[in-house]
Amino acid sequence: MPEPSTPAGAPPRGTLPPGASPADAQPGAVEELLALDRRHVWHPYGPMPGRSTPFVVESASGVRLRLAEPVYGHRELVDGMASWWSAVHGYGHPVLDAAAHAQLDRMSHVMFGGLTHEPAVRLAARLAGMTPGDLEHVFLSDSGSVAVEVAVKMCLQHWRSLGRPAKRRLMTWRGGYHGDTWQPMSVCDPEGGMHHLWSGALPRQVFADAPPSGFDAAPDEDYLAHLHETVARHAHELAAVVVEPVVQGAGGMRFHSPAYVRALREACDEHGVLLVLDEIATGFGRTGRLFAAEHAGVTPDVLCLGKALTGGYLSMAATVCTPRVAEGISRGTVPVLAHGPTFMGNPLAAAVAGASLDLLLSGDWQGNVRRIGEGLRTGLAPAAALPGVTEVNVLGAIGVVRLDHEVDVPAATRAAARAGVWLRPFRDAVYVMPPYLTDDEDVARIAAAVCAAAEEG
């Protein structure tokens, strides 16, 4: 039904004057905003209409989210999630703000087909210079899932151009997550993942067993043999192996030995298969190395980046490949990569991404990640004694408390909010990936909130 009418010249019901926040409006404005949200807004991984009430954020600064109205007595919550792992520099950083304002004065967007511009060119050159090995060619897109789509398309087109169209399947290991578009969904975990709904419709890929847990655990020789055997058995039909190195993110927040990534590189080289590493979540320092592939000492044929690329300011992703992959595509009857997003190479996002990389590399990101990791180890240690907790793991600036049951997300979220922290648990994990500038006091607060959420959830 239509919205109730408003007086002539008045803003539509539920809107606020420019520059105003919900808290500046008349009493009831937040409730009205939430009613409109429930009626019209479809939130990620949620039903329509929604069954839970989201917190209304009116602004953000540093590592804090300022709410439009208090929640459990807190007007601000410390962000333990870095906005789904992207806001590594926190919110409202003056360097990134300045880069965005300066680029807005020039142009916010221009098409990338037939045109180019300095922010995108400089960013591509920077990524080629900082990524491992001979990753030289950069395709810019607007989300991590699309970056993986592009990577798959690169690999499929590479083999078709070389006269090997039968190499059209992908291999991965169970427990992974690579995005919500079509090909990435096909290499997410087919049973425990969120995309089992599409079983039978998605392309049928090749799945190895999930890697044994434990970053520091000794490699399992039987599992190494299993990886090699699986690649060898399907090499004739495999275009690529696609995995998350060292950390499986949204598929379950599990860590594994870098030895398994090395084994895949060796098997791919031996049997003529391309290797794609998805570092959407792990790139730009999150695991303690600039890229998680460095833990294994390998260079993939294709590397997918996103999330922290712009410091959480704007949506941008990158698919970076070696000359081998690009040259293969160029030999085909269609010698171009058949992909071109409208907002590819967006100047505003590229300018902020360049500033974010400058900020990262000019600062002590390694020291900060190490410091946060030490604080999480100390602060999360008590969780090991809680009922239902099966393991507590920390790697880089990532902390995970795993339960023996599915998390009661509303209850766990409330427990964290009562402690003054924003968390978003999922499946059987209460986890954190805070911004790198989070100080020791806030790291301790985040860890305490994780313990409270694990106990409540």
Side-chain angles (χ1 to χ4, degrees):
M1 59 182 290
E3 297 290 346
S5 61
T6 54
R13 188 168 184 259
T15 65
L16 299 170
S21 73
D24 298 322
Q26 296 296 318
V30 172
E31 289 76 9
E32 184 174 18
L33 190 69
L34 287 170
L36 289 169
D37 180 282
R38 180 176 176 80
R39 180 171 178 178
H40 298 295
V41 180
W42 208 325
H43 285 270
Y45 311 115
M48 189 71 225
R51 299 193 186 108
S52 60
T53 302
F55 302 153
V56 179
V57 179
E58 68 174 28
S59 64
S61 179
V63 301
R64 283 172 164 71
L65 308 176
R66 183 167 178 80
L67 306 177
E69 59 183 10
V71 173
Y72 301 112
H74 298 284
R75 188 66 186 276
E76 292 183 336
L77 298 179
V78 176
D79 184 9
M81 308 306 297
S83 278
W84 265 339
W85 329 337
S86 64
V88 292
H89 306 298
Y91 301 96
H93 196 290
V95 170
L96 303 189
D97 286 359
H101 284 292
Q103 185 58 43
L104 276 172
D105 289 339
R106 300 184 190 98
M107 59 181 173
S108 61
H109 183 61
V110 64
M111 67 182 289
F112 216 45
L115 301 172
T116 196
H117 50 80
E118 184 173 4
V121 172
R122 297 290 184 196
L123 176 61
R126 189 68 170 281
L127 290 173
M130 67 191 295
T131 49
D134 60 343
L135 291 161
E136 295 182 9
H137 306 304
V138 181
F139 191 98
L140 298 170
S141 60
D142 44 14
S143 78
S145 185
V146 174
V148 178
E149 286 278 1
V150 170
V152 171
K153 186 175 287 187
M154 282 180 175
C155 296
L156 294 174
Q157 195 169 344
H158 170 87
W159 292 115
R160 285 177 179 270
S161 296
L162 295 181
R164 305 279 305 274
K167 291 174 74 66
R168 63 179 182 270
R169 296 184 74 188
L170 306 172
M171 175 183 151
T172 188
W173 46 34
R174 293 178 182 271
Y177 173 82
H178 299 279
D180 297 335
T181 52
W182 203 245
Q183 287 285 2
M185 284 198 301
S186 75
V187 284
C188 295
D189 191 281
E191 296 171 0
M194 62 186 74
H195 299 312
H196 64 277
L197 170 69
W198 301 106
S199 177
L202 291 169
R204 292 175 59 86
Q205 310 296 12
V206 176
F207 287 88
D209 295 340
S213 295
F215 175 81
D216 294 318
D220 184 313
E221 294 297 328
D222 289 339
Y223 185 74
L224 290 171
H226 167 67
L227 290 179
H228 279 276
E229 190 276 331
T230 306
V231 173
R233 177 156 39 95
H234 294 277
H236 66 284
E237 60 180 344
L238 289 181
V241 172
V242 183
V243 296
E244 300 157 284
V246 177
V247 177
Q248 292 184 297
M253 295 306 303
R254 296 184 182 278
F255 308 154
H256 57 260
S257 169
Y260 304 134
V261 182
R262 285 194 294 272
L264 287 175
R265 177 73 279 178
E266 293 165 2
C268 286
D269 288 343
E270 182 179 350
H271 297 286
V273 178
L274 298 175
L275 177 63
V276 177
L277 295 185
D278 175 355
E279 295 224 30
I280 306 298
T282 56
F284 309 110
R286 180 56 71 175
T287 67
R289 301 295 292 269
L290 195 57
F291 299 101
E294 296 175 10
H295 290 289
V298 305
T299 298
D301 299 290
V302 186
L303 179 69
C304 300
L305 302 171
K307 289 195 181 293
L309 178 58
T310 69
Y313 269 54
L314 293 154
S315 183
M316 176 171 262
T319 306
V320 193
C321 75
T322 63
R324 172 194 174 193
V325 174
E327 289 165 5
I329 292 171
S330 70
R331 295 176 192 172
T333 55
V334 180
V336 299
L337 181 62
H339 205 91
T342 299
F343 290 95
M344 180 179 177
N346 174 259
L348 187 57
V352 175
S356 178
L357 296 181
D358 287 341
L359 193 59
L360 181 72
L361 297 179
S362 65
D364 185 18
W365 68 267
Q366 288 176 305
N368 283 324
V369 168
R370 189 181 309 115
R371 175 183 55 79
I372 290 170
E374 291 169 355
L376 291 176
R377 285 186 184 88
T378 300
L380 296 179
L386 294 175
V389 171
T390 60
E391 60 181 8
V392 178
N393 289 312
V394 175
L395 177 65
I398 309 170
V400 183
V401 173
R402 192 170 310 284
L403 308 180
D404 62 5
H405 57 275
E406 291 284 313
V407 178
D408 182 338
V409 174
T413 301
R414 288 193 298 268
R418 283 195 292 269
V421 174
W422 168 246
L423 298 177
R424 186 66 172 172
F426 74 106
R427 296 180 65 178
D428 61 350
V430 183
Y431 76 99
V432 291
M433 287 193 184
Y436 298 165
L437 50 67
T438 308
D439 65 24
D440 293 345
E441 182 178 349
D442 282 336
V443 170
R445 177 177 291 188
I446 289 170
V450 171
C451 294
E455 185 171 19
E456 188 71 22

